[in-house]
Amino acid sequence: MPGIEHFWAVVPAGGSGTRLWPLSRAGSPKFLHDLTGGGRSLLQETVARLAPLVDDRLLVVTGARHRELVVQQLPGLSADRVLAEPSPRDSMAAIGLAAAVLERQDADAVLGSFAADHVIRHGDAFERAVGLAVQVARDDWLVTIGIEPTYASTAFGYLRQGDPLAAHPGASVVEEFVEKPDAGAAAAYVTSGDYRWNAGMFVVRPTVLLDLLGTWHPDLADGLRAVAADPGRLEELWPTLTRIAIDHAVAEPAAAQGRVATVPADLGWDDIGDFRSLSGLLGDADLQVLGDAGAVVSEDSTGVVVPHGGRVVALLGVKDIVVVDTPDALLVTTRERAQDVKTLVDRLRGSRPDLV
């Protein structure tokens, strides 16, 4: 079979991308949208990127409400490869469910978890990094791909590199994961050269992942294995599973025990976390449009416009603006305040839940 032997890709497709509201919502999250103007959704781009590495060895884990849309967007993927979560239980349960399924299907499997809503511009570098990560993972390491930081971001978590792995040139031990830093700490991290962005890409043997999980969260590991052994118990057991991210459940404590390695890579990576990030992906024009450029009339204005409301958006003398026009909601802000869109969503969740 083409691709890396026994390598399986797991694509967690969850979340609602609240900082991209009203374009991204709970019922239509960002991974289902074309946010780069390339004609394919982020999910479709992710699957296409992974195809040369795995051929058809791919699982998507998504929410039950999104499963039909995911299946529609991926007609080349067998519907039984789309696993549906009855309710959100965070990334550990989603990735762990796939690991438990693969543990029973392929004793030699190595899985790689890659979010459905990230952008990677350097495909060749991605393939090389994943290839090395799989080699390291076969030696029972939990491996993460550490992104070369291009600026001192306060929006991402970081990992600190330690000693190189003698058996795998190009890989290093992870000494620790650190949460999103303040501006001063982020600048120090980048200057030191020892830190990489944590993009949440993990490569590991399924049994290694579940056994590590069992060290700190045995009930969660046992529950996931029970569901894989008897899928009919999914609805019964799923609500009882601990809701926790894979970073907190496994990666951070495993790093403290010297069980985590990293493969650093420059991937041209972005998680499109807000409209400022989206603006950066759309090019260097003063005014960027995602959608029908003919629906935007601009004079002496800069920023980003998403004209999806079926009407003309006219701008005159406004700078660094963000306008997202949809049929039932209009957002007007600035790129500087892009991270704060989530606060509006939180307010609307109480007063107008139909809009979020």
Side-chain angles (χ1 to χ4, degrees):
M1 187 178 291
I4 301 173
E5 190 174 10
H6 293 289
F7 178 56
W8 290 77
V10 174
V11 179
S16 57
T18 53
R19 289 184 177 86
L20 290 173
W21 181 89
L23 184 61
S24 177
R25 310 189 191 195
S28 182
K30 67 176 181 176
F31 64 82
L32 294 173
H33 293 270
D34 173 12
L35 295 185
T36 64
R40 295 191 292 195
S41 72
L42 296 179
L43 171 63
Q44 291 169 328
E45 289 283 358
T46 299
V47 171
R49 183 185 313 124
L50 291 165
L53 299 172
V54 300
D55 191 44
D56 64 345
R57 294 184 298 273
L58 186 142
L59 299 175
V60 178
V61 186
T62 192
R65 69 184 300 188
H66 302 134
R67 186 180 186 277
E68 183 177 348
L69 293 172
V70 168
V71 170
Q72 289 174 4
Q73 286 206 359
L74 302 175
L77 184 68
S78 173
D80 63 3
R81 296 287 179 84
V82 181
L83 308 180
E85 304 173 285
S87 60
R89 306 306 294 171
D90 219 319
S91 60
M92 186 66 254
I95 298 167
L97 175 60
V101 169
L102 292 177
E103 183 181 46
R104 300 180 65 83
Q105 289 185 4
D106 184 351
D108 297 316
V110 173
L111 74 83
S113 174
F114 308 97
D117 55 3
H118 292 182
V119 168
I120 291 174
R121 301 184 192 89
H122 306 159
D124 289 346
F126 174 73
E127 292 186 13
R128 289 193 298 271
V130 172
L132 177 54
V134 172
Q135 294 178 28
V136 178
R138 294 194 197 281
D139 285 343
D140 290 348
W141 290 88
L142 172 61
V143 188
T144 184
I145 297 177
I147 306 299
E148 297 277 0
T150 55
Y151 64 97
S153 174
T154 60
F156 305 138
Y158 289 72
L159 59 89
R160 181 159 61 96
Q161 290 187 154
D163 294 334
L165 294 183
H168 298 286
S172 301
V173 176
V174 172
E175 293 192 348
E176 66 172 341
F177 289 86
V178 293
E179 298 294 335
K180 297 175 182 179
D182 59 30
Y189 292 165
V190 174
T191 300
S192 75
D194 295 331
Y195 289 80
R196 300 292 179 266
W197 286 337
N198 173 22
M201 300 182 198
F202 294 100
V203 180
V204 63
R205 291 180 57 237
T207 297
V208 170
L209 178 63
L210 292 169
D211 286 351
L212 285 171
L213 178 62
T215 302
W216 299 286
H217 299 277
D219 291 345
L220 178 52
D222 290 345
L224 292 167
R225 280 172 161 146
V227 170
D230 183 359
R233 300 187 66 193
L234 175 65
E235 296 287 344
E236 167 202 349
L237 294 175
W238 194 258
T240 71
L241 301 180
T242 303
R243 185 169 185 166
I244 189 171
I246 189 172
D247 301 74
H248 302 316
V250 172
E252 292 170 3
Q257 291 191 356
R259 297 290 307 275
V260 183
T262 185
V263 173
D266 177 5
L267 303 181
W269 171 86
D270 200 300
D271 72 343
I272 321 184
D274 58 33
F275 286 108
R276 176 191 286 273
S277 177
L278 175 62
S279 175
L281 289 173
L282 295 177
D284 55 6
D286 289 339
L287 186 70
Q288 299 145 334
V289 178
L290 180 62
D292 180 10
V296 179
V297 179
S298 173
E299 183 70 31
D300 191 29
S301 299
T302 64
V304 58
V305 182
V306 184
H308 288 183
R311 55 192 164 192
V312 171
V313 176
L315 307 176
L316 177 62
V318 289
K319 305 297 183 183
D320 200 38
I321 197 168
V322 174
V323 178
V324 185
D325 188 23
T326 69
D328 62 351
L330 170 68
L331 171 71
V332 181
T333 185
T334 63
R335 283 183 289 205
E336 183 181 2
R337 297 296 300 275
Q339 276 279 311
D340 299 329
V341 171
K342 184 178 184 296
T343 62
L344 295 179
V345 176
D346 290 341
R347 291 178 61 181
L348 286 168
R349 193 170 281 117
S351 62
R352 290 294 306 272
D354 57 305
L355 292 179
V356 299

